[in-house]
Amino acid sequence: MDALVRIFDTTLRDGEQSPGFSMNPGEKLELARQLEALRVDVIEAGFPISSPGDLESVRTVAREVRGVAVAGLARANPKDVDAAIEALRPAARPRVHVFIATSPIHMEHKLRMSADEVVAAAEAAVRQARRFTDDVEFSAEDASRSDVEFLCRVFDRVIRAGATVINVPDTVGYATPGEYAALIATLRERVPDSDRVTWSVHCHDDLGLAVANSVAAVAAGARQVECTINGIGERAGNAALEEIVMALRTRRDVWGVRTGVDTTKLYRASRLLVAITGVPVQPNKAIVGENAFAHEAGIHQHGVLMHRATYEIMRPEDVGLPTNRLVLGKHSGRHAFRRVLEDQGVRLDEAALNRTFERFKALADRKKQVAIEDILALVDQEVRAAPARFVLEAFQVTTGTATAPAASVTLRSADGLATATGTGDGPVDALCQAVNQITGVRAQLLDYAIRAVTGGTDALGEVTARVREGDVVVVGRASSTDVLEASVLAYLDGVNRLAAARAGARVEDPAWA
Ligand code: KIV
Ligand code: ZN
């Protein structure tokens, strides 16, 4: 039997901490559930000391997601480790992840600590974490630029203190595959009791080598890979989970290892992250990009039609990419609909399923062929819907080459119906102005993106609107076959989120009052 390589997902920690990818606690939990369905081995849910909100998010994931180990990050000091323990207390399988930098440049200029002080802090933090759980990971930050002798010394001490996983990060994405593999091999050879721990790698993509470095390290004996969905993360990102998993699987003949990941859930996990953050994946992205399995050149199309393997090294269905685009139509029933959702790893409670099914029926009336991508867009809309303080009742737009764009919007709220008109630079701007007048939210549209979910002129248009009021930035999202309807709904989704954030924050944060 091939050796198992464990997948440690850090989308909710290293991924989430990078600009533009922040998620609220509900969104983190939703993604964590998808990661559990994907069957990753460890979910790093956050960095509990970094904020009360992060601690609470880690605690929520730890309480709700029972089928997978949940990790919390801590620097090597007592307060950080206490916060991680506090957050992980409800977990079925808690892991405390302790780190400290070991490279000369970090020790001297960032930590201002001597080598001896770093060793002592690492050892003490691991001991403290071990009193709470027997699953303790230690990371030597900037390991790839650290002195190997010093790394051996630190690792020896933390293993003796009880660390069970030793992580060797390429924090700044500086390593090359050959030297990184050699580093792992050297450490495994020189560190006493190295066979009692799991060797882990964590690579950043500054030189575009994160995945190559990770798989090279696997060949040298690493048995845990740290990575993120869509490769999101600090600066150029982390190693992409979907690429690591599919590389190890597709070239099992080379690496002779396996992962426990259900690869058919990869596409869904990628989509969910895009839906939550509003940050799209580049079309040519390996595994989950729109073009990853598209064959455009005639000669390629001909080859694939004759025999798929001429140009396809993986089957789209192995990564959960819908191949049969015409899945459901207006005569499809609830049973078939539920089945499609289950196949995609989507879990909705009965009420949410019913609402999504109703939206599907309405869509099937407008669009003959409803594809899996359309259904996933409806699911994203349901899952992400903000508490709807304001609901769109009706809208009308006038625009044209000789007419100034104007819009009329009617919204329903607890106070009844309200209608306002707005004008603007274009029809979307006019719609947003009308929404602002009714809701009283002083929202500003920062970013607006529209994407056709499938091909064809009747395609569902999916709109992502990044909206700001004061310091609070949220992502609103909606889809419709009418792009102006999708636009006003996405903006309203953002405004509802802002209104909810404002109401929620008022209790703790007088700045909102
Ligand atoms: O890149 C890095 O070194 C990290 C550590 C905290 C593991 O993210
Ligand atoms: Zn990192």
Side-chain angles (χ1 to χ4, degrees):
M1 181 75 146
D2 288 340
L4 179 72
V5 171
R6 295 207 157 81
I7 297 297
F8 175 114
D9 179 278
T10 183
T11 308
L12 295 175
R13 200 278 298 170
D14 222 346
E16 202 262 350
Q17 76 189 34
S18 54
F21 289 96
S22 63
M23 301 174 217
N24 68 35
E27 292 166 342
K28 286 187 184 173
L29 180 58
E30 184 56 31
L31 192 64
R33 291 213 159 104
Q34 189 63 38
L35 292 170
E36 184 184 29
L38 190 61
R39 296 211 294 263
V40 303
D41 298 280
V42 185
I43 296 172
E44 185 164 52
F47 188 10
I49 195 76
S50 65
S51 72
D54 221 53
L55 190 146
E56 207 40 56
S57 288
V58 176
R59 202 198 319 258
T60 306
V61 172
R63 192 179 52 235
E64 303 289 328
V65 180
R66 315 295 296 171
V68 54
V70 176
L73 185 68
R75 285 166 301 187
N77 69 60
K79 271 194 176 158
D80 275 44
V81 177
D82 274 345
I85 292 173
E86 186 56 31
L88 292 170
R89 221 174 270 293
R93 287 159 51 202
R95 172 180 295 186
V96 177
H97 180 189
V98 171
F99 79 100
I100 192 164
T102 51
S103 63
I105 189 164
H106 276 236
M107 289 193 292
E108 188 185 334
H109 298 288
K110 184 182 80 173
L111 298 176
R112 295 172 194 277
M113 285 167 82
S114 69
D116 286 348
E117 285 168 336
V118 165
V119 174
E123 189 179 357
V126 168
R127 274 193 208 290
Q128 182 188 352
R130 259 318 281 257
R131 286 195 283 277
F132 165 67
T133 172
D134 57 10
D135 188 356
V136 175
E137 171 168 338
F138 174 76
S139 285
E141 191 188 9
D142 206 16
S144 54
R145 294 193 300 168
S146 301
D147 174 62
V148 179
E149 289 306 322
F150 182 57
L151 276 182
C152 291
R153 183 171 151 219
V154 179
F155 289 155
D156 175 29
R157 293 281 286 274
V158 294
I159 291 172
R160 281 198 263 157
T164 45
V165 180
I166 298 294
N167 187 35
V168 186
D170 181 28
T171 303
V172 292
Y174 183 69
T176 65
E179 70 191 18
Y180 195 53
L183 175 62
I184 300 296
T186 305
L187 292 169
R188 288 185 59 222
E189 203 179 287
R190 291 214 210 145
V191 173
D193 285 332
S194 70
D195 53 345
R196 280 183 29 220
V197 296
T198 301
W199 288 90
S200 167
V201 288
H202 174 117
C203 297
H204 282 265
D205 207 29
D206 300 65
L207 294 174
L209 292 172
V211 171
N213 285 339
S214 302
V215 293
V218 166
R223 289 295 173 260
Q224 174 179 284
V225 177
E226 304 197 351
C227 42
T228 58
I229 301 290
N230 297 343
I232 70 167
E234 283 286 359
R235 306 179 308 278
N238 288 59
L241 181 149
E242 59 281 0
E243 295 177 23
I244 305 265
V245 167
M246 290 313 288
L248 294 181
R249 177 185 151 132
T250 308
R251 298 310 311 272
R252 201 164 167 168
D253 57 323
V254 174
W255 288 295
V257 295
R258 71 200 155 87
T259 72
V261 167
D262 176 354
T263 62
T264 64
K265 306 265 166 46
L266 286 171
Y267 179 72
R268 172 81 192 123
S270 166
R271 277 284 323 219
L272 182 63
L273 181 62
V274 170
I276 289 174
T277 59
V279 183
V281 164
Q282 77 205 53
N284 59 322
K285 162 89 177 59
I287 316 297
V288 291
E290 222 159 88
N291 296 348
F293 292 91
H295 303 281
E296 188 69 30
I299 191 165
H300 288 206
Q301 286 177 347
H302 177 70
V304 169
L305 287 174
M306 302 302 282
H307 195 299
R308 280 173 86 163
T310 49
Y311 286 97
E312 268 186 13
I313 58 165
M314 299 165 275
R315 296 180 310 167
E317 53 269 38
D318 290 344
V319 305
L321 201 87
T323 43
N324 181 1
R325 290 186 170 263
L326 315 183
V327 278
L328 295 176
K330 69 175 177 185
H331 301 298
S332 306
R334 189 181 305 264
H335 187 70
F337 185 72
R338 187 194 294 268
R339 186 65 193 274
V340 168
L341 295 188
E342 279 169 7
D343 287 350
Q344 290 298 312
V346 175
R347 283 191 325 193
L348 293 179
D349 65 29
E350 214 47 36
L353 183 98
N354 288 343
R355 280 191 298 270
T356 314
F357 182 66
E358 288 313 315
R359 278 196 213 113
F360 155 72
K361 282 292 197 189
L363 177 64
D365 271 340
R366 289 158 96 168
K367 188 174 187 281
K368 276 193 225 98
Q369 303 161 346
V370 180
I372 288 181
E373 290 97 321
D374 294 321
I375 294 171
L376 291 178
L378 297 180
V379 169
D380 290 341
Q381 205 169 330
E382 170 62 34
V383 167
R384 302 207 59 238
R389 203 169 267 227
F390 301 99
V391 178
L392 180 70
E393 200 63 30
F395 78 97
Q396 204 176 348
V397 174
T398 45
T399 189
T401 44
T403 323
S408 154
V409 172
T410 303
L411 301 182
R412 185 163 31 84
S413 71
D415 300 330
L417 292 179
T419 301
T421 53
T423 53
D425 292 343
V428 174
D429 191 26
L431 284 164
C432 298
Q433 300 311 327
V435 168
N436 282 1
Q437 282 191 42
I438 301 174
T439 59
V441 173
R442 295 175 302 280
Q444 185 194 353
L445 184 62
L446 295 181
D447 259 335
Y448 169 91
I450 184 159
R451 169 184 98 90
V453 172
T454 54
T457 49
D458 65 350
L460 206 54
E462 192 171 55
V463 171
T464 305
R466 194 176 286 274
V467 183
R468 177 170 75 192
E469 188 189 39
D471 289 343
V472 184
V473 177
V474 295
V475 177
R477 195 179 183 88
S479 49
S480 167
T481 48
D482 176 336
V483 292
L484 285 175
E485 185 179 11
S487 303
V488 67
L489 283 170
Y491 185 71
L492 192 58
D493 182 39
V495 165
N496 276 323
R497 282 170 201 284
L498 287 172
R502 200 196 252 195
R506 193 168 281 147
V507 184
E508 305 140 28
D509 180 1
W512 278 104

